[in-house]
């Protein structure tokens, strides 16, 4: 087929070739009834397929299906919804297409019976023989069938095939026979049998032996009206040799099937520049998985595609471009793992988050708060000292001989708004320390030997 236009939602409309085998039975009759008609199909850039299982009746959600005779590949689409249901929850929308082939395999659809309905067709080819009866079976399925799975899609998948245009209007290839040796036909398509030269317009544009001539595009082109003269598509199919004598004609060639032609296979360090005769190429990277135990040794391929009309860039230019591409790709991917964004300044929310992370208590530093924390700390120390003093045996002063430090500290910090801080008083002396003065009888022998006149007092300033 040929792309004819872009639709809403990344979809494309494709005009199906007139001689396509998919156009059969009643669809073919509809197409042949009017020369201005054409068969089309909708393809999607990103194909979405949804399978919806109904344990109840599908008609509780779906209004019905619309039959489009111009779309033989996707003839039935959803017309609307009655109420919210499973299909809509899974993303199905109005206009999505019903997969008829999958429906024909459902037992609930095959077992439907009604007057004048007939047997269920075994294939879509059989269903196209009587589309009216098949439409009735669809309507009955919505009303009565349960325990059934319906498959919907937003469009068909597609693949762009290369096309080669060859114009024969100048020496040394003025006629088709100057380049192409022979054509072959099977009654449905005309293919290139052989080439006389490999420098002609068809070969240089990418056409190869086995490629077929697109008769629809060739005969539709206004540029070929004079060159083709009285030739018809059916006449050319029966005798393709008539094409070899044509002059001033523009032919369109395309691959017979969707399979690719391999122009080069590279491996290890055997990567040489390759010239492909088409502007539509596909690069494939294949590996057998060897090297999984040494991931640091893994490698890939950087391929650069340039027009053949321009000179091949130097290897240094390609290496520089590869480095820039790799750097830009890594920057675009960004860092791995979770990303945490924090402000540079330490506001209250960030301080609270830090305290919560480490299990700290958050409080703004004020005079009252600081005084309260110190008093609470001193009280905690007093209680700890009292508990320790109770375990000590023997006489002790009130609160213990060493409590004077904590008691004085508490009084010192509890000064309130007074500007003068009370001094810390020494502890009272225990009763057992309040005894008579202790004196020494007699002179100290070590001191008696020192003569006072020999004693010198010295002081140093520091």
């Amino acid at each position: 087929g040929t792309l004819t236009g872009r639709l809403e939602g990344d979809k494309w409309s494709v005009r199906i070739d007139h001689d396509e085998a998919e156009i059969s039975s009643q669809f073919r009759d509809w197409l042949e009834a009017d020369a201005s008609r054409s068969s089309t199909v909708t393809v999607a850039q990103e194909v979405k397929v949804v399978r919806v299982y109904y344990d109840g009746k599908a008609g509780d959600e779906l209004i019905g299906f619309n039959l489009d005779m111009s779309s033989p590949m996707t003839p039935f689409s959803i017309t609307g919804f009655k109420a919210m249901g499973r299909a809509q929850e899974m993303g199905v929308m109005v206009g999505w297409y019903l997969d008829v082939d999958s429906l024909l395999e459902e037992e609930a659809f095959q077992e439907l019976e009604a007057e004048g309905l007939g047997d269920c067709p075994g294939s879509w080819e059989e269903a196209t023989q009587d589309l009216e009866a098949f439409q009735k079976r669809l309507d009955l399925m919505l009303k009565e069938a349960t325990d059934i799975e319906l498959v919907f899609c937003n469009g068909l998948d597609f693949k762009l095939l290369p096309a080669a245009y060859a114009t024969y209007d100048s020496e040394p290839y003025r006629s088709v026979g100057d380049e192409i040796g022979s054509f072959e036909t099977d009654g449905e398509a005309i293919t290139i049998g052989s080439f006389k030269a490999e420098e002609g317009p068809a070969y240089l544009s990418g056409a190869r032996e086995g490629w077929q001539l697109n008769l629809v595009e060739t005969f539709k082109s206004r540029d070929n009206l004079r060159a083709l003269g009285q030739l018809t598509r059916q006449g050319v199919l029966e005798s393709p040799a008539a094409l070899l004598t044509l002059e001033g004609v523009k032919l369109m060639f395309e691959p017979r099937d969707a399979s690719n032609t391999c122009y080069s296979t590279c491996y290890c360090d055997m990567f040489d520049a390759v010239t492909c005769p088409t502007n539509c190429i596909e690069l494939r990277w294949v590996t057998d998985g060897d090297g999984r135990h040494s991931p640091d040794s893994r490698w890939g391929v950087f391929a650069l595609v340039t027009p053949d009309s321009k000179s091949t860039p130097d290897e240094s230019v390609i290496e520089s471009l590869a480095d820039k591409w790799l750097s830009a790709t890594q920057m675009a991917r960004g860092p791995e793992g979770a990303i945490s964004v924090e402000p540079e300044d330490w506001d209250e929310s960030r301080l609270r988050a830090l305290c919560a992370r480490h299990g700290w208590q958050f409080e703004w530093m004020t005079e009252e708060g600081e005084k309260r924390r110190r008093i609470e700390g001193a009280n905690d120390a007093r209680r700890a000292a009292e508990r320790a003093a109770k375990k000590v045996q023997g006489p002790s002063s009130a609160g213990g001989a060493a409590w004077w430090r904590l008691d004085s500290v508490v009084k010192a910090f509890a000064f309130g708004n007074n500007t003068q801080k009370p001094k810390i008083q020494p502890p009272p002396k225990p009763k057992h320390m309040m005894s008579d003065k202790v004196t020494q009888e007699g002179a100290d022998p070590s001191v008696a030997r020192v003569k006072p006149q020999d004693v010198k007092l010295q002081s140093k300033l520091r």
Side-chain angles (χ1 to χ4, degrees):
T2 305
L3 290 174
T4 57
R6 187 166 188 172
L7 305 177
E8 184 179 357
D10 288 336
K11 297 179 183 179
W12 297 83
S13 176
V14 177
R15 184 181 68 249
I16 304 175
D17 294 341
H18 191 276
D19 54 354
E20 181 62 43
E22 295 290 342
I23 308 175
S24 59
S25 302
Q26 290 185 324
F27 293 104
R28 174 63 64 181
D29 297 338
W30 175 87
L31 181 63
E32 299 291 350
D34 191 341
S36 62
R37 292 176 177 176
S38 61
S39 297
T40 61
V41 67
T42 300
V43 297
Q45 192 76 27
E46 182 181 353
V47 178
K48 298 178 182 178
V49 179
V50 177
R51 296 180 175 272
V52 184
Y53 172 74
Y54 291 97
D55 51 0
K57 298 178 181 179
D60 294 338
E61 179 185 10
L62 305 176
I63 294 178
F65 297 100
N66 178 54
L67 173 61
D68 185 2
M69 294 299 297
S70 67
S71 180
M73 293 182 171
T74 53
F76 295 100
S77 59
I78 300 175
T79 57
F81 298 100
K82 294 180 181 179
M84 193 66 185
R86 295 183 178 180
Q88 297 170 81
E89 293 173 354
M90 300 177 69
V92 178
M93 296 184 290
V94 174
W96 279 40
Y97 303 101
L98 175 68
D99 188 336
V100 179
D101 292 330
S102 298
L103 180 62
L104 292 174
E105 299 177 359
E106 292 291 319
E107 293 183 4
F109 186 76
Q110 298 172 2
E111 296 172 355
L112 290 174
E113 295 181 356
E115 184 177 354
L117 191 61
D119 297 333
C120 180
S123 65
W124 174 237
E125 182 67 25
E126 294 182 18
T128 58
Q129 303 296 330
D130 191 353
L131 291 174
E132 183 178 355
F134 191 82
Q135 180 76 58
K136 291 181 179 179
R137 182 173 288 273
L138 280 178
D139 296 338
L140 185 62
M141 179 267 296
L142 293 176
K143 296 177 181 178
E144 298 184 1
T146 59
D147 189 22
I148 190 171
E149 183 182 63
L150 302 182
V151 181
F152 303 99
C153 66
N154 63 337
L156 298 184
D157 196 7
F158 71 101
K159 181 178 182 180
L160 294 176
L161 297 178
Y165 291 89
T167 302
Y168 299 91
D169 58 358
S170 60
E171 297 293 345
Y173 304 101
R174 182 169 292 278
S175 67
V176 178
D178 293 336
E179 178 190 17
I180 298 177
S182 64
F183 285 107
E184 298 178 356
T185 179
D186 58 2
E188 296 182 356
I190 297 175
T191 57
I192 300 175
S194 62
F195 282 95
K196 288 183 179 179
E198 295 184 354
E199 296 180 355
Y203 194 91
L204 293 179
S205 63
R208 293 294 182 269
E209 293 182 5
W211 279 40
Q212 69 179 9
L213 175 66
N214 190 321
L215 293 175
V216 175
E217 295 297 327
T218 299
F219 276 84
K220 189 180 67 174
S221 175
R222 295 182 178 273
D223 299 335
N224 292 335
L225 293 178
R226 181 177 179 180
L228 293 175
Q230 300 300 320
L231 286 178
T232 62
R233 291 169 55 187
Q234 186 61 33
V236 171
L237 280 173
E238 295 174 357
S239 179
L243 294 171
L244 298 176
T245 60
L246 296 179
E247 295 182 0
V249 68
K250 182 178 181 180
L251 303 182
M252 175 184 173
F253 298 96
E254 60 188 9
R256 185 68 186 272
D257 53 38
S259 59
N260 295 332
T261 301
C262 182
Y263 296 104
S264 178
T265 301
C266 306
Y267 55 90
C268 295
D269 56 350
M270 305 294 293
F271 286 85
D272 298 325
V274 179
T275 300
C276 298
T278 177
N279 60 354
C280 181
I281 64 173
E282 179 179 342
L283 302 175
R284 288 187 179 182
W285 166 253
V286 181
T287 177
D288 58 1
D290 190 20
R292 62 184 181 276
H293 299 298
S294 54
D296 294 339
S297 300
R298 293 177 180 174
W299 54 280
V301 174
F302 179 83
L304 179 64
V305 181
T306 60
D308 186 37
S309 58
K310 298 182 179 181
S311 59
T312 303
D314 295 336
E315 186 173 352
S316 59
V317 176
I318 299 177
E319 290 288 343
S320 176
L321 179 60
D323 293 339
K324 293 179 180 179
W325 177 86
L326 180 60
S327 176
T329 302
Q330 292 177 345
M331 293 179 64
R333 290 174 179 173
E336 298 180 357
I339 300 177
S340 177
V341 180
E342 297 181 355
E344 294 184 356
D345 57 330
W346 286 90
D347 54 5
E348 181 175 351
S349 59
R350 188 178 182 188
L351 290 172
R352 289 185 180 275
L354 180 64
C355 293
R357 181 177 181 181
H358 296 282
W360 299 338
Q361 181 182 1
F362 175 82
E363 184 177 346
W364 290 110
M365 181 176 290
T366 61
E367 183 177 352
E368 292 297 328
E370 183 68 14
K371 181 173 65 175
R372 186 182 67 256
R373 281 192 296 274
R374 293 189 179 185
I375 293 175
E376 290 176 355
N379 290 336
D380 292 340
R382 166 184 275 179
R383 287 189 291 269
E386 289 177 350
R387 288 194 297 268
K390 291 179 181 179
K391 299 180 181 180
V392 179
Q393 301 296 330
S396 63
S397 62
W403 175 242
W404 68 271
R405 298 178 182 273
L406 294 176
D407 190 40
S408 300
V409 169
V410 173
K411 293 179 180 180
F413 286 116
F415 57 87
N417 296 326
N418 296 333
T419 57
Q420 295 183 354
K421 299 180 181 179
K423 298 181 180 180
I424 299 176
Q425 301 295 330
K429 293 183 179 180
K431 294 182 179 179
H432 67 279
M433 296 180 63
M434 297 180 181
S435 58
D436 297 334
K437 184 185 298 185
V438 178
T439 59
Q440 180 178 342
E441 297 180 357
D444 188 346
S446 59
V447 180
R449 292 195 296 268
V450 179
K451 297 179 179 181
Q453 59 273 20
D454 297 332
V455 176
K456 295 182 179 180
L457 297 178
Q458 296 181 356
S459 61
K460 294 183 179 180
L461 296 177
R462 295 185 179 180

